[in-house]
Amino acid sequence: GPFRSLSYDLALYRTDVTNEIIPYQGGRFYLTAGRVRRAGAELGMSVHASGGFLLRTAFTWSRNTYQTYVVDSVHYGVPGASADYSGKDVVGVPGFVYSASLGWSPERVRPLTVRLSVQGMSRFFADDANSVTVPGYGIVNLTVGLDEQMALARGVGVRGFVTINNLTDRRYTASAFLNPAIVSGEAVAFEPGLPRHLVVSVEIGRR
């Protein structure tokens, strides 16, 4: 048949966390949330198909919310002030994270492998108030490599890979400071992802 093997892992979870630690001002100090609920599902799958194809995927969906969370003047600097963020999304956690790769290594070209992969996540919030949104992204990577040692000389073998990350040269936000500092009315939160770049790895050793 077209499939040589298929394997998968599925996990469902739900947890309640009391006094979850929350970073503020880029991690300068921390507060604790009253109670947080995390629920989600994770699926990983690997498919070996005829013709030397290998598909690997990993998906995570989650819902993370503050069940009870009142923050006081430690954050706002106003004596007696407080804000109730109960029901808001937990800071810094995307609802969906994914990765998938398709590799091709037919018998006639082994150990050479060509692998195309995608990875990304949905948007998330950088602050407890859910007013600073970090946009989601998806990037594509391409790898050509040797999965096993190939003879270079008598008793000496070589293996390695060449990868082009962010193949389409997409501009995206890779990460963000959580509950960031505000400068001139703007949240200093966003850290850009790398543009298209090349990674080369070569390993030479005894066979």
Side-chain angles (χ1 to χ4, degrees), residues 39-50:
E42 299 179 351
L43 173 64
M45 186 171 61
S46 178
V47 179
H48 288 261
S50 58

Side-chain angles (χ1 to χ4, degrees), residues 62 64 89-90 92-98 120-126 130-138 173:
S62 64
N64 309 276
D89 287 352
V90 173
V93 185
F96 186 58
V97 179
Y98 66 91
M121 64 180 62
S122 63
R123 71 170 190 168
F124 62 90
F125 296 108
N130 292 178
S131 61
V132 180
T133 302
V134 181
Y137 71 88
T173 301

Side-chain angles (χ1 to χ4, degrees), residues 149-150 153-159 203-207:
Q149 272 198 350
M150 187 174 67
R154 179 176 296 180
V156 178
V158 61
R159 64 181 298 177
E203 176 185 320
I204 297 175
R206 300 179 73 77
R207 298 189 70 203

